[in-house]
Amino acid sequence: MSDVKITVDDVSKVFYKKGGSTAALRHVTLQVREGEFVCLLGPSGCGKSTLLRILAGLEKPSSGSFTIRPGSRDRPLQSMVFQENGVIPWMTVWENVAFGLKVRGAPGSVVRSRVEEYLEKTGLSESARLYPKELSGGMKQRVSIARAFANDPEILLMDEPFASLDEQNKIILQEELLTIWAETKKTIVFITHNIDEALLLSDRMELMSAQPGTITESVDVRLGRPRTIEKVRADSGMAKLFVKIHHHLRQEVTASRTAKNKEDM
Ligand code: ADP
Ligand code: MG
């Protein structure tokens, strides 16, 4: 693969706790190209967040390794967007978006112009002085996204950022994210368990097995851009892909239930 930005090489992760251990990931190998949008899709508990936390440097692999190809020196390697509670409650929208840049000691003029740019792109300019408690769930996620992009990281890691939103807000934010991604061409690893979301967003999906998670299949999403959910729904190839992936996920969920029942016996 040319232009590889992220390499995950045979990563396994075991969590040890009193009286036992949990194998979260086994032999995960993955490559992501510069500027690519990759979705990791798998059933709940299969280790998706663990893999993302490893890429974010928040967790260490038990074995195996990963690299993120560095770029410019004044950029952070990665920014993370969480499912919820990613905003700092005692800071305004403006301060939240500026946070990463300020921590890095970016000059005031750079902070101001980047914050304003991303407030604008995420439709938050009018809300810059509000505090998180005054915002809806969708707006809070916009703040997290604005902060992540304003930070100008080498790669963006997104852990089910829209999972707690209602359907309408979810679609609006997904399409906004695609617009910003098309402009910035950031490398994105995005976790979801929602097939429609992965079809709408990604260049490629990596399907994961039940816990302990490993990548079982890589699926290219061959649908032109710009995309909308209407285009995804109207495309017969995407409809077939949906069914195929749905079967895959179902099998994995069944497999994990059977394994759990055996453990409990
Ligand atoms: P997913 O994001 O796919 O739902 P996670 O990566 O959160 O899955 O979790 C995978 C497995 O690892 C689960 O069984 C979870 O309980 C376990 N796990 C995750 N983090 C920890 C931790 N810090 N300590 C112990 N077990 C953990
Ligand atoms: Mg998770």
Side-chain angles (χ1 to χ4, degrees):
M1 210 188 262
S2 63
D3 279 353
V4 176
K5 188 71 183 173
I6 307 170
T7 306
V8 178
D9 188 17
D10 204 22
V11 161
S12 297
K13 176 72 184 178
V14 181
F15 290 106
Y16 294 97
K17 46 194 168 192
K18 242 190 249 163
S21 62
T22 307
L25 294 170
R26 67 187 146 104
H27 305 302
V28 173
T29 292
L30 172 73
Q31 289 190 328
V32 181
R33 274 192 294 270
E34 175 95 56
E36 202 176 13
F37 198 134
V38 170
C39 277
L40 294 175
L41 194 75
S44 170
C46 78
K48 302 184 292 300
S49 294
T50 302
L51 182 54
L52 219 64
R53 290 172 56 79
I54 288 174
L55 288 174
L58 300 170
E59 215 57 90
K60 281 207 158 44
S62 305
S63 62
S65 62
F66 73 97
T67 49
I68 300 167
R69 189 162 51 88
S72 121
R73 266 197 333 134
D74 52 359
R75 274 195 194 156
L77 264 191
Q78 67 286 85
S79 287
M80 187 123 166
V81 178
F82 297 95
Q83 185 169 340
E84 39 192 357
N85 304 329
V87 291
I88 304 159
W90 59 87
M91 288 186 184
T92 64
V93 167
W94 203 99
E95 290 163 344
N96 263 286
V97 177
F99 184 71
L101 289 162
K102 283 197 172 164
V103 167
R104 268 161 49 215
S109 59
V110 172
V111 176
R112 271 193 302 281
S113 76
R114 294 198 67 83
V115 170
E116 269 151 36
E117 179 186 351
Y118 282 96
L119 286 177
E120 173 82 39
K121 284 193 202 309
T122 50
L124 288 169
S125 300
E126 305 289 305
S127 313
R129 286 161 193 274
L130 300 181
Y131 284 88
K133 64 172 189 296
E134 302 172 270
L135 305 177
S136 66
M139 283 168 84
K140 276 188 222 165
Q141 287 312 77
R142 283 200 171 94
V143 175
S144 294
I145 290 168
R147 177 174 55 206
F149 277 95
N151 224 352
D152 196 22
E154 294 294 330
I155 66 166
L156 260 149
L157 303 169
M158 308 185 85
D159 193 353
E160 308 205 38
F162 308 137
S164 60
L165 303 182
D166 63 74
E167 208 54 31
Q168 281 66 40
N169 264 305
K170 186 185 293 189
I171 293 171
I172 293 169
L173 265 82
Q174 286 165 340
E175 292 182 356
E176 284 178 3
L177 172 63
L178 283 181
T179 307
I180 301 176
W181 173 70
E183 286 171 9
T184 57
K185 280 291 166 204
K186 283 281 171 211
T187 309
I188 300 186
V189 180
F190 186 109
I191 287 180
T192 182
H193 58 257
N194 182 313
I195 305 171
D196 276 329
E197 181 162 72
L199 290 174
L200 173 66
L201 298 176
S202 68
D203 294 320
R204 182 156 55 93
M205 279 184 226
E206 297 289 341
L207 306 186
M208 291 181 73
S209 69
Q211 189 199 354
T214 192
I215 290 169
T216 53
E217 206 177 329
S218 176
V219 181
D220 286 324
V221 183
R222 299 184 200 281
L223 181 68
R225 297 186 187 267
R227 295 180 188 163
T228 58
I229 196 71
E230 290 87 351
K231 277 195 197 160
V232 173
R233 289 258 197 265
D235 187 281
S236 61
M238 292 299 110
K240 284 199 189 100
L241 205 49
F242 182 100
V243 173
K244 180 183 153 175
I245 296 161
H246 177 68
H247 282 305
H248 165 88
L249 281 182
R250 224 171 131 141
Q251 269 170 9
E252 289 305 329
V253 172
T254 316
S256 72
R257 285 217 184 115
T258 315
K260 268 230 142 23
N261 287 344
K262 273 191 189 146
E263 260 174 39
D264 295 342
M265 277 196 311

